[in-house]
Structures are given as C-alpha cells and as structure tokens.
Amino acid sequence: MSLRYAQTIPAFALLLLALIGILLLVLPTRELEKPPEYEYGIVLDAGSSHTSMYIYKWPADKQNGTGIVTQHDECDVKGPGISSYAGVPGGAAKSLEECLQKAVQSVPKARHSKTPLYLGATAGMRLLEKSDASESQRVLKEVGAKLKSYPFSFKGSAVLSGQEEGAYGWVTVNYLLENFAKYGFVGRWLNPGKGAIGALDLGGASTQITFQTDVKAESTDTSMSLTLYGQNYQLYTHSFLCYGQDQFLRRLLAHLIKTQGLSSGSVSHPCYPRNFTTSMILGKDVFSSSCTEEYKTKDIDLQKSVTLVGTGHPQNCLAAVQKLFSFDKCDFSKCSFDGIYQPAASGKFMAFSAFYFSSSYVNALTNISDPRRMKEASQRVCSMSITQMTAITKQPEKYMKNVCAIANFIQVLLTQGYGFNNSTLPMISFEKKAGGASVGWSLGYMLSLTSHLPKESVSVLKAIPSGPWSGLLIIFAALLLMALVQLVVVCRKARAKMELV
C-alpha cells in the first residue's frame, strides 16, 4: 500500500466517525425532544350546571394531521351554567371573566393572538334553545362578545349536538388512555394503540353512550364517523336529553306530584331518606324546565310550595324511577329505551362525570364497588337515614338526599336501558380522570379541531439538541472539521509530490 493511501485512511475513518456520530445524535432527537414551541387552544365547556375552562397545548409539529394535545391548565367558573342566566342580561358574560383572565396569564403572551378560543354549550343550552330560541341566541351572542374582547383568536360559541358531545367524550377517554395509534416525528411508532373503549357520560341535563361498532346503523341519528391519526372510526352515539342527573331528579319530583296530587300540601318521596323533609317552590324547583312540561297539570299553582316527606322505601323508589323510562316501543331490531335504536353494547367502557361521583358516594356508604351488585347497593342506600349518610361521607344533606334516587336511576339506565348484564357490567370502570387529566368532551373537541388549524413549520435549528447532548454534537462536529482539514493536507502533499516528479 502506498504512503499516500496510508495517510488518507485515518482521515476517512475520522470523517466517517464524525458523520455517524452527528446522525445518531440529531435523528433520534427529532423524535424524542419536544419542539420548543407549542400551540395553544382554549375550550369553555358550558354545561347545564356549571362552566369549566380548559387550556390545551400541543407541539407545532402535528402527527398524521392531529395534534398531540395535553392539558395545560383549567379553571372552574363560579356560579351556574350560562343557560341559567336566561332573562339576566350581562350575567353569563360576567361569570366568565375570572377564568378568562387566568387564561391571559397562563398562555404565553407571544401566543395570545394565535391561540384559538372556543365555547361549546351542551344540554343546558339545548334545553333553552328548545324552550326559548331567542333567549338562547341572546346568551350566546353575549358570551361571544365577551370572548372577543380578550386577546385570543375567538373562533365562535356554539351549542353542541348530543351526537357531538357523546363522540368527543369518547375521543377524550381513548386519547387519555393512549388507545389511539400515534407516530413519532420521524415516522416511528410512538404507540401502536390498544383498541378503543366505550364512553358513558352523565351530565346535569343529558346522558350519553358512545362506542365503536361494526354493525350497520339502522338509524342515522345514532351514527357518527371520526378520523384521527389517519384512522377512521365508526361510532354508535346517542344523547338522551332530560336524562341528566339534575333533570332526572326534577322529572321524578314532577311524576310524584302528578300521581299523588297536592291536596294535602305534601308529597311522599320514596327515594328520600325516611323522615327527611324539605320544601320546594313548584314554579322554580320543579316545573321551570321543559323536561317536566308533560307532568304539569292546568290546576297547578306554580307560586305554591310543596313539602316533600322522605319514606326511604327501596322498592317504591325503584318503581318510580322505572316509570320515567319507556321500554315498550321499538321500531328497530333492538332499542335501548324511548324507542331509540342501539346495537348490543360490548367491550370495555368508562363511566365518568356524574356516573363517577354517584358511584363513589354509594361505594362509601355501602362498601359495594362491584357493578354486578348495584341493585343490592341501591337497596342499602335507600334504607339509610340522612344522619347516617352525612356522618359517613361528611357531605351536606343537599347531596345525600338524592343518592338513593340516583343509584336506582343508574341501575335502571345501565341494565334495563343500555342492556348491560352480569357478564358485561364488570367491563365498566367508574373514573373521574384518565391519564391524570379531566375526562369530558372538551379535550376530544380540541383534539379534533387541531386537524383544521394551520401547521407551523419547524426550523432546522429546532432539531439541534440541547443540554449534555449539545456537547457531544460539538465534539463530533470538531472531529468532522479535523477530518476535512487532514484530508486537505494529505491531498496537497500528494499533489506537491506529483509536481516534483
């Protein structure tokens, strides 16, 4: 081997080593390091009983058209839901100010103008829209004007359909549990997915059931298609208006008043603890909702108050709750209740929102957490006094008085309504959070909306690693420079020798 080639080999070896080192450092970093800049999004969840604000963020680089969204911050708006401000000009908008100011502080100032802001109203506003469309529009316009006054990119305030609320709740559950397949920045798998689970949501004015199905839908009103991470998901979803926790309790009261009458001035309530009494104003506490309209008779004085006397009777409570469902009419091959089509529910489910809180109260009172023993748990709760309940849970009477009714409602809804049985009930988990974040429709809403937001480019400089890795990158860059210099020197010496010859 000639001296010229012998001198060139170390230089090439050094050059190859430097190139390999730089590639090993830079390429994995593009996948493992978070881009330094995030995009942000704000969703106001305007529910029937309250409003919550959630701030989300995701890397500027999106994965397969859908941003990798995480919860950045949250805020609970003080006071009732925005639908409660019907007839109260300025009330709904003012209630949002404190949380919106928190958003101004939480989102980096440089990102304010690029941060989309949405308000989604659910069943409470759907009910108001149904009973007074003009007042519903006034409230939405009012809160829209308030949101526009903040330095974010306001995208609109809207009333979500029941289908949207159910589907986005399903997205949230499966996203937080990492059930969707996700890809890394250089095309590698971050998570191959685990298979989607169903979602059961119980709010104040409505309840939703959503699950993936291959069964051809017999009703378009219960079918929805979503595309996430390049995959299409066909869902069964339905929202039952007036079957939320608060509206169900109103309907139960209205049913008892209608069947017993008001001649004595008092009404027996089989779901209230024995000897527990309370008074309510008919027009304000019972018949102010369109959900109770069918129970209102012409002779009822809405200004009058009624005394409710608890009898704590498990069987009578269950019978009264069952009367609020209709299991007779069905024009399809299979129905849940009230004539609504539903294929058989199968696989795992997560039950959240009021499902979780109600089940946690029942579990605390009875130490029964097995869903297959829901009927037994309901009977135990209905036999307890209000004093026993408050002593065990340390919760006020206003919450405990309704535990028996809600326990029976959930039992009937899941077993007789949705068709869960002793084999499938254990597949339901009652949860408040998933993956450390709040469960509800807003994250799924934000996740879907990120597919439609502009994608910011990521510069080459963002691929350069930081911290201790940057030191190694500098060393390999120096080796590369040394190799190039050595090659130049060797080539010059070789050329000089050739000229001498």
Side-chain angles (χ1 to χ4, degrees), residues 481-495:
L481 182 61
M482 290 171 59
L484 290 174
V485 170
Q486 190 171 345
L487 280 174
V488 170
V489 171
V490 169
C491 289
R492 284 183 176 178
K493 286 182 179 180
R495 183 176 179 181

Side-chain angles (χ1 to χ4, degrees), residues 1 57 74 102 112 114 185 238 282 311 315 354 385 388 400 420 423 462 469-470 479:
M1 182 183 293
K57 67 178 181 181
E74 67 179 290
K102 182 177 180 179
H112 282 178
K114 296 180 180 180
F185 293 110
H238 188 75
L282 294 174
T311 59
Q315 287 75 29
S385 69
Q388 289 175 308
M400 292 299 99
F420 290 96
S423 298
K462 290 183 181 179
W469 296 106
S470 60
L479 290 174

Side-chain angles (χ1 to χ4, degrees), residues 280-284 287 299-306:
M280 292 187 179
I281 300 173
L282 294 174
K284 176 185 176 183
F287 295 106
D299 60 336
I300 286 182
D301 181 0
L302 298 180
Q303 304 301 317
K304 189 177 180 181
S305 64
V306 59

Side-chain angles (χ1 to χ4, degrees), residues 67-251:
I68 299 179
V69 182
T70 56
Q71 187 170 311
H72 176 67
D73 207 348
E74 67 179 290
C75 179
D76 286 324
V77 173
K78 294 178 181 177
I82 62 172
S83 60
S84 300
Y85 293 99
V88 187
K94 186 170 181 59
S95 70
L96 307 178
E97 291 177 352
E98 186 174 334
C99 282
L100 287 170
Q101 192 55 43
K102 182 177 180 179
V104 171
Q105 302 297 324
S106 184
V107 176
K109 189 174 182 179
R111 304 298 302 173
H112 282 178
S113 62
K114 296 180 180 180
T115 297
L117 171 62
Y118 304 85
L119 181 139
T122 53
M125 286 297 287
R126 290 201 291 272
L127 283 175
L128 181 59
E129 196 173 49
K130 183 178 176 181
S131 61
D132 192 339
S134 61
E135 189 63 11
S136 171
Q137 288 300 313
R138 185 199 64 76
V139 172
L140 282 180
K141 185 177 180 181
E142 175 188 302
V143 297
K146 173 62 68 174
L147 297 177
K148 284 180 184 177
S149 69
Y150 284 80
F152 305 113
S153 177
F154 176 60
K155 297 295 185 181
S157 53
V159 178
L160 272 67
S161 69
Q163 278 187 310
E164 290 173 324
E165 185 178 2
Y168 292 136
W170 176 87
V171 171
T172 298
V173 166
N174 286 285
Y175 185 84
L176 292 175
L177 294 178
E178 299 185 349
N179 290 338
F180 296 129
K182 307 189 189 98
Y183 298 87
F185 293 110
V186 290
R188 300 181 185 177
W189 289 91
L190 280 178
N191 174 25
K194 307 172 188 175
I197 69 171
L200 298 168
D201 185 5
L202 178 59
S206 67
T207 187
Q208 288 74 234
I209 177 172
T210 308
F211 55 92
Q212 192 176 0
T213 180
D214 295 327
V215 178
K216 185 177 180 181
E218 297 179 30
S219 169
T220 56
D221 294 337
T222 58
S223 178
M224 191 169 185
S225 181
L226 289 178
T227 300
L228 296 165
Y229 297 101
Q231 298 293 316
N232 182 262
Y233 297 90
Q234 193 63 37
L235 305 177
Y236 169 87
T237 182
H238 188 75
S239 176
F240 291 90
L241 194 60
C242 297
Y243 282 90
Q245 180 175 264
D246 297 339
Q247 293 302 325
F248 156 75
L249 291 171
R250 282 179 180 242
R251 289 174 59 221

Side-chain angles (χ1 to χ4, degrees), residues 43-47 50-54 74-77 99 441-442:
V43 180
L44 285 163
D45 174 358
H50 72 282
T51 299
S52 295
M53 180 190 75
Y54 298 97
E74 67 179 290
C75 179
D76 286 324
V77 173
C99 282
W441 62 264
S442 58

